[in-house]
Amino acid sequence: MIRIAFSGADVDLEAVYTQAAGAGYLSLRVPYSEDPADLLGRLQGGSVPGVMVMDSRRDPDLCLALAARFHTEHPDTVVLLVTDQPEALGLGAMRAGVTDLLSPGADLSQVSRALGKAKQQAEALAARRAETSPKGPSGRVITVVSAKGGVGKTTVTTNLAVALAQAVPHSTVIVDLDLQFGDVATALSLSPEHFLPDALQSVATGDTIALKTRLTLHETGLYVLPAPADPAAADGITSAQISQLLQVLTQEFPYVVVDTSPGLADHTLGALDHTTDPLLLTTLSVPALSGLRKIVDTLSVLQMFTERYHVVVNHSDAADGVALKDVEQTLGVPVGTAIPRSKGAPASINIGAPLLQSQTRDPLVRSLVSLANMLLPAGTTLDRRGRLRAKGKKT
């Protein structure tokens, strides 16, 4: 479905476009900047709309500059401008790639016709791009989400990513989306030279080769994209940029594993919009379960709760009065993986060596190997210690 976004400050005008656009309507509020990412960053999930309508009456020059950036960076988006001075803006709008100029006094039927033509053009552009795009494999995006901190999210994420990387060489990249306090690099004992903002810059310029050079290679063959080195840099990253990054990475890697900050920040929603396999992580505590239930409800409302979800319970020893059946009753969905408390996990975190890397005997290893085997292609299987199992061999 082609989505139509309207950005303006006139409530009466927006009401007309809301009615004309129908189910695919999205509302974006001014002020504008010349960077499309600043505007798109206010979208739930961060997906780029097929049609963008901007009320340019407040600042025509700025809207023309923004339209030109859209034409360059998002060529599949059809841009329309609302203006009360079409003669003055006509030539500049054409040069900026604007498809049509609309009068602020246009009635519902006129707006409906204009949006209908724009949608048809957007559909044609999308179809043309699909025909000319490389037909390489599209990877799976595995995003680990939790409502609370302290549930072992980074431990689970890094160990799972290592398992996939060791099973299928050069297959896996891990992205640290805990933008302010991410510690994936620390958990893997890495001292990276490049960070997430560097990769986003490469994606924005369409330089896939440069993007790969900005990934840090772990000794297990896992590629790592660390969170920003400076927490303040998180403020300049939008969910639209994250969406674009994941789209590129899924064309290059069979597995993209995403670590996130607790809760449902905009960046997490942007990742979930491209996620094939959501991993919902909790512990056997009432606050963690209550928070995860809210996440499940929110994702269901946003229609982002895919059929390939997986509930993971960490520290699953029922010593505190909460059992796995309580988790299923609270969430309304079954538990997929239960990870018993691991004696080796704290030390592995402190030295930056995931247990799946050392392939040791540990309950965390056994549990995450079972999860990894569900994600691996047919014929590729890890044994209980995370070692690649020879075909036909049983353990």
Side-chain angles (χ1 to χ4, degrees):
M1 179 181 68
I2 297 296
R3 302 203 297 174
I4 299 174
F6 177 88
S7 184
D10 189 326
V11 176
D12 293 335
L13 185 63
E14 183 174 2
V16 175
Y17 282 85
T18 303
Q19 186 175 354
Y25 179 78
L26 301 163
S27 178
L28 299 175
R29 294 294 179 180
V30 291
Y32 300 118
S33 79
E34 291 186 14
D35 188 351
D38 293 337
L39 189 62
L40 298 176
R42 297 198 289 277
L43 287 171
Q44 287 278 13
S47 295
V48 179
V51 179
M52 173 65 70
V53 183
M54 294 185 290
D55 187 351
S56 67
R57 290 174 293 171
R58 176 176 293 184
D59 195 334
D61 292 337
L62 181 58
C63 284
L64 286 177
L66 179 57
R69 288 284 299 274
F70 261 105
H71 185 63
T72 301
E73 298 177 19
H74 303 287
D76 293 347
T77 297
V78 177
V79 178
L80 310 179
L81 292 185
V82 176
T83 178
D84 51 9
Q85 43 181 330
E87 294 84 4
L89 260 65
L91 182 58
M94 181 178 66
R95 289 173 174 170
V98 174
T99 298
D100 199 2
L101 299 177
L102 302 175
S103 168
D107 59 25
L108 179 60
S109 62
Q110 293 171 320
V111 173
S112 296
R113 283 196 298 271
L115 294 185
K117 291 180 181 178
K119 287 175 66 175
Q120 290 179 351
Q121 184 175 349
E123 289 170 349
L125 289 171
R128 189 181 309 162
R129 183 173 183 178
E131 291 175 358
T132 58
S133 295
K135 297 299 188 287
S138 182
R140 298 172 74 165
V141 180
I142 304 154
T143 301
V144 183
V145 180
S146 68
K148 305 290 183 181
V151 299
K153 181 164 47 58
T154 299
T155 299
V156 170
T157 307
T158 51
N159 275 278
L160 179 60
V162 164
L164 296 173
Q166 292 184 144
V168 183
H170 312 296
S171 68
T172 307
V173 59
I174 184 170
V175 180
D176 193 345
L177 276 193
D178 190 347
L179 298 184
Q180 289 188 311
F181 304 108
D183 54 5
V184 164
T186 302
L188 294 169
S189 191
L190 293 174
S191 299
E193 296 181 5
H194 301 288
F195 300 86
L196 183 60
D198 304 315
L200 293 177
Q201 184 178 7
S202 298
V203 171
T205 60
D207 193 341
T208 304
I209 296 177
L211 170 62
K212 288 185 175 181
T213 65
R214 284 164 169 76
L215 303 177
T216 301
L217 182 61
H218 187 251
E219 60 185 284
T220 60
L222 171 67
Y223 290 91
V224 182
L225 187 49
D230 181 2
D235 295 336
I237 298 175
T238 68
S239 58
Q241 290 175 301
I242 299 303
S243 296
Q244 191 176 12
L245 170 69
L246 294 180
Q247 288 173 352
V248 173
L249 289 177
T250 54
Q251 294 298 319
E252 302 296 328
F253 294 94
Y255 300 103
V256 181
V257 183
V258 183
D259 194 17
T260 62
S261 57
L264 287 178
D266 287 344
H267 306 96
T268 302
L269 287 172
L272 286 169
D273 200 32
H274 296 274
T275 296
T276 58
D277 301 82
L279 264 59
L280 310 178
L281 182 64
T282 185
T283 58
L284 294 178
S285 74
V286 172
L289 283 177
S290 176
L292 192 59
R293 176 54 195 260
K294 293 177 183 178
I295 287 179
V296 170
D297 291 342
T298 300
L299 296 183
S300 298
V301 170
L302 295 175
Q303 298 182 345
M304 300 169 72
F305 195 77
T306 76
E307 294 180 355
R308 286 160 71 168
Y309 74 90
H310 202 89
V311 175
V312 180
V313 178
N314 198 18
H315 310 319
S316 63
D317 308 301
D320 298 323
V322 180
L324 291 177
K325 66 178 182 180
D326 299 319
V327 177
E328 296 181 339
Q329 291 175 355
T330 300
L331 300 181
V333 294
V335 172
T337 300
I339 304 174
R341 197 172 298 274
S342 166
K343 293 182 179 180
S348 73
I349 296 169
N350 290 335
I351 64 175
L355 292 172
L356 261 297
Q357 178 182 350
S358 58
Q359 299 179 341
T360 185
R361 293 184 181 273
D362 188 274
L364 181 144
V365 171
R366 290 196 301 270
S367 299
L368 288 182
V369 160
S370 297
L371 177 56
N373 283 335
M374 297 180 193
L375 300 167
L376 290 171
T380 303
T381 310
L382 297 173
D383 66 16
R384 291 186 177 184
R385 296 177 64 174
R387 299 170 299 191
L388 193 61
R389 182 185 300 169
K391 291 184 179 180
K393 183 178 179 181
K394 298 182 179 180
T395 57

